[in-house]
Amino acid sequence: MANDPRTITVVPSRADADGDWSPTQGAAFTEFLNANTALSDDEKERLFQETVSIMNDCVPPEAADAVNTGLVIGYVQSGKTLSFTSLAAL
């Protein structure tokens, strides 16, 4: 079952001394970036940095009882869908 692509396994995150966690780029995010051929390498790097920044504000996966609510707003065609999709892939 561990190799089933529909199974999500939560692995311990790397937390710093303050308890903040730092997500890392995995296969899903790499595939997502490679599929977005319209983005330049600089745009892909910026997307990665911004996605990690957003994810850092989320609750770490192993903190099952914790909650954190946020709000995302943006102009029409400002990149909200790309941001949501990249966050899900990360």
Side-chain angles (χ1 to χ4, degrees):
M1 184 94 170
N3 291 329
D4 185 346
R6 296 168 294 174
T7 301
I8 298 173
T9 304
V10 176
V11 295
S13 60
R14 294 185 302 226
D16 63 18
D18 296 327
D20 294 332
W21 69 295
S22 180
T24 57
Q25 182 173 333
F29 193 80
T30 300
E31 289 175 22
F32 173 74
L33 287 179
N34 291 338
N36 281 284
T37 57
L39 298 176
S40 70
D41 288 343
D42 288 341
E43 290 169 326
K44 289 177 182 182
E45 179 60 28
R46 180 174 177 197
L47 179 62
F48 172 71
Q49 295 301 327
E50 290 183 2
T51 304
V52 167
S53 176
I54 293 167
M55 184 72 82
N56 280 333
D57 290 334
C58 295
V59 174
E62 66 271 5
D65 294 337
V67 294
N68 185 1
T69 303
L71 176 67
V72 176
I73 58 173
Y75 293 105
V76 173
Q77 295 189 347
S78 63
K80 295 179 299 296
T81 301
L82 179 64
S83 180
F84 288 136
T85 308
S86 64
L87 190 60
L90 185 63

